[in-house]
Amino acid sequence: MSTSASPTVGTTGEQGAPPAGNPRGRVVVASLIGTSIEFYDFYIYATAASLVFPALFFPNAEDPTTQLLSSFAVFGVAFVARPLGSVLFGHFGDRVGRKATLVASLLTMGIATVLIGLIPAASTPGWALAAPAVLVLCRFCQGLGLGGEWSGAALLATENAPRGKRAIYGTFPQLGAPIGFILANTVFISLSSALTPEQFATWGWRIPFLASAILVIIGLWVRLSLLETPAFRKVVETSAVAKVPVARVFRTSWKQIVSGTFIMLATYALFYLMTTFTLNYGIASTDPTDGSPAGLGYEKIDFLWMLIIGVVFFGIFTLVSGPMAEKFGRRAHLIWVTVAIALFGGVWVPLFSAGHIGVQSLLIIGFTLMGLTFGPMAAVLPELFPANVRYTGSAVAYNLSSVLGAAVAPFIAVWLWAKADGSPVLVGVYLAAMAVITLVALLLERETRDVDYDDNVTS
């Protein structure tokens, strides 16, 4: 097996004593706060991409629909960057260690987010082309950082978990997604309520991006206090560190990469349809005069509150999914949830047509399914890979799936929405199709609950 220079893996305690471990509370907080910050950064962009950026950075587009599609195209840039981030940060995560790599990914994401808050509008003299170009660059860096963040946080939680509790511990970094969403949208709602539309469009939207600097500092303080995970320490002690992790994982575990990518597909499609598309559909005019497709006509703030209520269920059922995946097995649990997602895609039209109660029910059901499918993923994907390529393998699978399931989902959804003359029927069909693909991947994959997680390396 290939070896490398010994990385720093943290305190090992007294001579002859077992390696020191991370306290459970510190593991939970560090994995949770990091992903909460990362997803907060990511979601404030997603919200701004729907509400502000179309007119701010693409004022010369032909019509509002083209502006929105242009904004979503930039939104998708991060998903192109995420597989690159998974390779970059996965390389260091499998060679240098989980702790240092997590710090680097957080800084990359945080700095890019703050810079977005400083970009002048395209209407500023001299910035007509530069503003959208800088936005694309910052968005790319956001994706780069998030590409390395998730896998590291998942390994931090699961590689420190007691036997038989990996799926439970793995739900804590997953909980960062609903927390980040609620925090980001609560900030936007507060600003929208406190400021006039002109103030919000001119400078108010910048505050959430600039404020992320405070959250990054807190996240760095927590993560710098961690020790390296036991699984990575064993990799170092047995001289099993891969020289080029990405080459080794594609050589030895390419089937698992393909499997993991498609296992995550329905999860990604569901989440970005439930957040980005439903927001646009919910606040679009019922009788547009500018050529854009018709929507439900809700006020922006009212619909954001409806989304937040739905995301509360996302958080609750993320936590519920951990014990379920331990009891029934990851594979069986996800198969039934994926079947439910496919069926859910078939009821979009009747629920969206049932007034306020129907729309809120759709959001609650969708986000409940999201929690049940997203929660176990921090255990499922890493369990597919040996310890010395686990960071790279799980990160590549997770982020390749983001390209297929999330990068194009808002764009395709807007196109299908317009194609169906303002009806979400084709969007629901699209979600069901993604669920069927994931179901096939799950049926072809083995159960991973009882795999050897620590003494497991590939040569």
Side-chain angles (χ1 to χ4, degrees), residues 158 161 164-172 318 321-323 325-326 330 375-376 379 383:
T158 59
K165 292 187 177 181
R166 281 198 303 268
I168 295 173
Y169 270 57
T171 60
F172 291 109
T318 294
S321 71
E326 290 294 354
R330 287 70 157 129
E383 287 171 351

Side-chain angles (χ1 to χ4, degrees), residues 317-331:
F317 282 90
T318 294
L319 293 176
V320 169
S321 71
M324 291 178 68
E326 290 294 354
K327 180 177 181 180
F328 302 111
R330 287 70 157 129
R331 183 173 176 270

